[in-house]
Amino acid sequence: RMMEENNVNTSIPLAVEEHIFNELLPKLDQMEFFSSKVFDRTSLFVFAMALGFHKGKRTPLADRKGLIRYETLRNSPENSLFSAVALHELRKTNEADHIADMKITYMIANEYANTGFHYLEEQVNGMFDEESFRLDLMMEMDDAFERIKSDIA
């Protein structure tokens, strides 16, 4: 699906709250599981969005620090994920006809990712060791996968 460039009013449409950018991202960069060798910023954002979506909660950003530039997203396969999540959300309110508005799509992605980043922040700040944290996340992803599998079957 082609993105309509005129629907995106900012050069950095995907963002995080400033404290996430300044405090959490550097902590995640120090962890082997989330290091930039494993997760680029777009992958980390998608992971956080998936966590927020899994939690079923959108959290509006209290403030905004740009994370992923529009040029990075222009032909990115991740746009399909953002659009799928947005479409799911817009169908709840019978507003699926707004799916072509990338401002709305990115706003929804930002809000779900914000929930995910807040969850990661709680986990990182409360964790005792990275291995336990990684295992907890993997178990949660396994549970989510099993629920999805049973919904499809």
Side-chain angles (χ1 to χ4, degrees):
R1 184 170 82 74
M2 294 294 278
M3 283 182 43
E4 296 180 33
E5 291 179 354
N6 59 353
N7 281 345
V8 179
N9 69 349
T10 179
S11 63
I12 310 176
L14 297 180
V16 294
E17 292 178 344
E18 290 209 26
H19 80 277
I20 298 291
F21 188 89
N22 294 327
E23 297 165 28
L24 178 64
L25 295 183
K27 287 180 184 177
L28 293 177
D29 287 340
Q30 298 302 309
M31 299 173 69
E32 183 183 343
F33 184 73
F34 289 107
S35 76
S36 57
K37 292 177 226 150
V38 178
F39 272 84
D40 62 17
R41 288 296 187 233
T42 304
S43 298
L44 181 60
F45 185 91
V46 168
F47 183 76
M49 181 188 72
L51 281 173
F53 186 79
H54 171 65
K55 301 258 176 226
K57 182 178 177 199
R58 289 170 52 189
T59 306
L61 279 68
D63 50 40
R64 188 182 165 86
K65 176 78 173 162
L67 185 66
I68 302 169
R69 300 187 65 76
Y70 174 66
E71 294 80 35
T72 304
L73 298 169
R74 182 172 292 178
N75 296 311
S76 167
E78 285 84 4
N79 274 323
S80 298
L81 294 171
F82 303 141
S83 293
V85 167
L87 183 60
H88 174 80
E89 195 69 13
L90 291 169
R91 282 183 172 161
K92 291 181 188 175
T93 55
N94 290 328
E95 297 177 291
D97 54 326
H98 294 295
I99 192 62
D101 187 339
M102 293 309 291
K103 286 187 286 189
I104 292 172
T105 296
Y106 289 140
M107 178 193 73
I108 292 168
N110 280 325
E111 290 177 357
Y112 273 123
N114 195 34
T115 300
F117 280 120
H118 281 246
Y119 173 76
L120 288 172
E121 183 178 44
E122 289 171 16
Q123 298 302 309
V124 167
N125 289 339
M127 83 173 178
F128 296 105
D129 65 89
E130 184 177 346
E131 186 64 25
S132 296
F133 177 60
R134 186 177 9 207
L135 289 172
D136 287 348
L137 278 177
M138 289 171 58
M139 286 174 46
E140 192 163 332
M141 288 187 285
D142 284 346
D143 290 346
F145 178 74
E146 290 301 321
R147 283 193 301 277
I148 291 167
K149 206 165 79 173
S150 68
D151 287 348
I152 294 171

